[in-house]
């Protein structure tokens, strides 16, 4: 099955700085790569996603890049704010109804 | 938030007892999923459903069964709970099978003593 590795497991940044979270996947059939944010005690929620025919996607302060050749994708958050503090999960989908998640990155934004 | 509720939200049980978690949706989405969340493992798919009475296994299905008799309800059953099944269980729904957003429930925290 698909194996998604996510780094780092924890990340602390100063408010206003950028944060980057990186993921690699193993199955070349994966063609959909979402990112979920989970605040403490809450449910995961989709923040951005990218498909394999696109190299980069941006939504305000959040961007995701995908390198299919290297099988890695990254989440970039610019101008971080305290409300960005949460656990972020990357995921990859090699086939219908199967989404494989990374182990998560706990982001702390220090005011 | 999408109309998806889980029950119970918290449960403590003993090893060897049966446990059923319920997921109820009001969105009429075709696809429903059960995930478990554990530290160091992220979210792992247990079972999913692609229609009434249509279900399939995920990556960690051993020790779990599911049923979907109505579009709106998806049940997860632990026939004989073990301590390794102590976890937070999330139900999710989706309109599409590929490349679609998962809407998660609030989670059910299960402790098996």
């Amino acid at each position: 099955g698909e194996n998604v590795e996510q780094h780092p497991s924890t990340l602390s940044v100063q408010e206003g700085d950028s944060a980057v979270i990186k993921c690699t996947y193993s199955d070349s059939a994966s063609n959909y790569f979402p990112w979920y944010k989970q605040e403490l005690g809450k449910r995961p929620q989709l923040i951005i996603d990218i498909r394999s025919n696109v190299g980069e996607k941006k939504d305000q302060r959040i961007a995701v890049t995908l390198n299919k050749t290297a099988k890695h994708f990254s989440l970039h958050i610019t101008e971080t704010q305290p409300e960005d503090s949460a656990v972020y999960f990357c995921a990859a989908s090699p086939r219908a109804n199967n989404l494989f998640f990374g182990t998560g990155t706990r982001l702390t934004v220090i005011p | 938030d999408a109309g998806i509720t889980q029950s119970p939200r918290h449960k403590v049980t003993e090893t060897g007892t049966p446990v059923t978690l319920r997921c109820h949706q009001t969105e009429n989405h075709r696809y429903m999923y059960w995930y478990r969340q554990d530290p160091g493992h992220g979210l792992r798919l247990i079972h999913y459903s692609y229609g009434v009475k249509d279900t399939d296994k995920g990556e960690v299905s051993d020790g779990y069964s599911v049923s979907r008799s109505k579009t709106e309800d998806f049940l997860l059953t632990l026939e004989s709970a073990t301590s390794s099944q102590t976890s937070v269980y999330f139900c999710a729904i989706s309109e599409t099978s590929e490349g679609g957003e998962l809407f998660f429930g609030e989670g059910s925290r299960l402790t098996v003593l």
Side-chain angles (χ1 to χ4, degrees):
Chain A
E2 173 66 279
N3 181 41
V4 179
E5 295 191 355
Q6 182 172 348
H7 299 281
S9 57
T10 61
L11 179 61
S12 292
V13 299
Q14 291 291 137
E15 182 177 357
D17 287 351
S18 296
V20 180
I21 303 170
K22 299 182 179 182
C23 290
T24 61
Y25 62 99
S26 61
D27 194 332
S28 57
S30 286
N31 57 13
Y32 175 65
F33 307 91
W35 287 86
Y36 283 80
K37 175 184 180 182
Q38 186 178 27
E39 297 177 356
L40 188 62
K42 305 284 187 177
R43 71 191 82 190
Q45 292 187 301
L46 179 71
I47 55 171
I48 195 167
D49 57 12
I50 191 168
R51 300 177 194 278
S52 58
N53 58 347
V54 176
E56 184 174 354
K57 183 177 179 180
K58 188 174 181 179
D59 182 5
Q60 298 182 1
R61 296 186 296 109
I62 295 174
V64 58
T65 58
L66 170 65
N67 183 326
K68 283 201 68 178
T69 303
K71 294 197 185 71
H72 68 69
F73 56 113
S74 301
L75 177 71
H76 304 253
I77 306 175
T78 59
E79 300 172 21
T80 53
Q81 301 168 3
E83 51 265 40
D84 294 330
S85 294
V87 178
Y88 292 81
F89 293 97
C90 63
S93 178
R95 56 189 175 277
N97 293 305
N98 276 262
L99 195 59
F100 292 83
F101 286 84
T103 51
T105 296
R106 182 175 300 278
L107 173 65
T108 302
V109 179
I110 304 165
Chain B
D1 289 336
I4 175 169
T5 56
Q6 294 182 225
S7 60
R9 296 288 315 281
H10 301 273
K11 186 172 181 67
V12 179
T13 192
E14 294 188 349
T15 298
T17 59
V19 176
T20 295
L21 305 180
R22 178 178 183 244
C23 178
H24 179 77
Q25 62 144 331
T26 58
E27 304 296 322
N28 202 35
H29 285 356
R30 178 178 175 183
Y31 303 95
M32 299 186 75
Y33 309 82
W34 277 107
Y35 283 87
R36 59 178 290 174
Q37 183 174 37
D38 306 286
H41 291 277
L43 291 145
R44 293 179 292 174
L45 181 64
I46 304 171
H47 281 280
Y48 65 93
S49 170
Y50 48 97
V52 173
K53 299 192 189 308
D54 292 323
T55 65
D56 206 348
K57 297 178 179 180
E59 62 178 313
V60 290
S61 59
D62 288 348
Y64 302 94
S65 63
V66 290
S67 66
R68 191 169 178 198
S69 59
K70 298 185 292 185
T71 298
E72 57 266 36
D73 290 327
F74 192 33
L75 304 181
L76 177 70
T77 297
L78 292 65
E79 301 290 347
S80 178
T82 67
S83 58
S84 64
Q85 293 176 312
T86 292
S87 186
V88 179
Y89 292 86
F90 283 96
C91 176
I93 61 175
S94 177
E95 285 186 280
T96 65
S97 62
E98 293 188 73
E101 179 174 0
L102 291 182
F103 297 95
F104 285 89
E106 315 104 306
S108 296
R109 182 175 295 277
L110 175 67
T111 302
V112 184
L113 302 176

